[in-house]
Amino acid sequence: MRGKSLWIIGFIAVLSMALCQTAFAKERIVFGGGPAGGTFQVVANAVQVYKPMKMAADFKVQAQSSAGSVENLRKTDAGRQQMSVVYSGHVYLGRNGMMKNDTKKYENVMAVAWLYGAPGQLVVRKGSGINSVKDLVGKKVGVGNAGSGAFANCELFFSHMGVWDKIERNAMGYNDAAQAFGNNQLDAFWLFTAFPSGAVIMAAQTNDIALVNLDADAKASGFYDKYPYFAKLSVPANTYKGVDYDSPSFQDSALWVANSKVSADVVYKMLSLIYSDEGLAHMKEQKKTFKHMSVKTGADGIVTPFHPGAEKFWKEKGVL
């Protein structure tokens, strides 16, 4: 009898411990970034390492590398990543079943915040004679990682310009492309990321480079009329060694997004930490790209539904 009582007491103790652990279990937030050399991964890492974020009692952030925007969209929708960085255009196309060769509607991906504007950049050698995307016909071109926003936007723009099937495409990350370009294995490489890009800086160390005027191509071809979520932006003169002129281009907005099932409290608390004076200073220390991040810009460039936790936060801040 005494043994049975001890067994019951032991069982109750184990059950109580299990219940306590469940009650205090942290919500795991896998935050999808991007490939090495890209700004998406800097975002994920910056959020993970921010000290107040690491000290949070009810959630734990884990940065995870990925191919980029399109992969992040799909993984976040499926709940394999709770949060990610995804381009605004892909969130819009995905929610509406308009992705290339993919009619699925990714409706579980909800906006949290605007992070920065990311322009297209097409790097060529100075004096190469490549002054337009149309001049790439027959050339070897780095087009971004398969599954990345860079690749998807390159395919979108180059197809619109009628050259996608007329170039020798090399799907690779930015750093690998810069290295291949430096070794004369590529005639040009495409990026869709904030400036200054470490990969372009690398390329400018080994070659005299030039940036193609992508805005001129976009205007002449009616690209802005067909894809109105792109906005004009110039890469300023002297952003890169030897490029002493403004280089007009177009940009999409990089967004912080979350799966719809992430608790509103966690989204609200994470925004409260990052969009504090200290949190914004931390982000800007990680990369100059984040210099425009602020409470004032936090809801900019977003044309798709907000996560309830984000909606509450931005309404309280008076920007929604």
Side-chain angles (χ1 to χ4, degrees), residues 85-304:
V85 187
V86 180
Y87 287 122
S88 176
H90 293 145
V91 179
Y92 174 81
L93 294 172
R95 285 191 66 87
N96 291 288
M98 295 165 60
M99 295 288 286
K100 187 171 177 65
N101 301 321
D102 183 0
T103 57
K104 178 177 175 174
K105 293 188 175 182
Y106 295 92
E107 296 177 327
N108 294 323
V109 180
M110 309 197 82
V112 174
W114 178 90
L115 295 169
Y116 60 89
Q121 299 171 65
L122 182 61
V123 181
V124 299
R125 288 180 188 83
K126 191 172 283 186
S128 65
I130 301 172
N131 301 307
S132 163
V133 169
K134 290 183 177 179
D135 297 327
L136 293 174
V137 173
K139 306 291 187 186
K140 298 174 183 176
V141 186
V143 295
N145 263 342
S148 69
F151 184 98
N153 282 326
C154 188
E155 183 178 15
L156 184 77
F157 186 50
F158 284 23
S159 295
H160 178 79
M161 293 293 296
V163 302
W164 181 250
D165 295 324
K166 298 175 183 175
I167 60 173
E168 187 179 316
R169 300 190 298 266
N170 292 264
M172 56 178 67
Y174 298 151
N175 286 353
D176 289 341
Q179 190 171 358
F181 181 82
N183 294 332
N184 293 311
Q185 294 167 312
L186 293 176
D187 298 299
F189 69 101
W190 163 275
L191 307 90
F192 206 87
T193 189
F195 54 80
S197 160
V200 182
I201 291 170
M202 189 193 312
Q205 301 304 318
T206 54
N207 284 270
D208 290 333
I209 67 164
L211 293 178
V212 173
N213 184 333
L214 297 175
D215 175 58
D217 281 347
K219 275 181 191 168
S221 65
F223 185 68
Y224 295 125
D225 297 328
K226 192 169 182 181
Y227 302 103
Y229 52 82
F230 288 111
K232 298 176 186 183
L233 179 76
S234 284
V235 179
N238 301 310
T239 297
Y240 302 116
K241 180 184 174 186
V243 185
D244 56 0
Y245 51 86
D246 289 350
S247 180
S249 183
F250 53 85
Q251 68 171 341
D252 196 354
S253 295
L255 305 185
W256 173 358
V257 300
N259 179 278
S260 58
K261 293 184 177 66
V262 176
S263 75
D265 280 350
V266 165
V267 172
Y268 182 90
K269 286 174 184 174
M270 289 180 71
L271 279 170
S272 299
L273 291 174
I274 293 297
Y275 282 85
S276 64
D277 290 344
E278 297 78 11
L280 289 168
H282 164 75
M283 294 301 293
K284 289 162 190 174
E285 281 170 10
Q286 308 305 303
K287 196 170 172 72
K288 290 178 184 175
T289 303
F290 309 136
K291 64 183 177 182
H292 297 301
M293 278 182 69
S294 68
V295 169
K296 187 179 176 183
T297 62
D300 285 358
I302 297 174
V303 294
T304 50

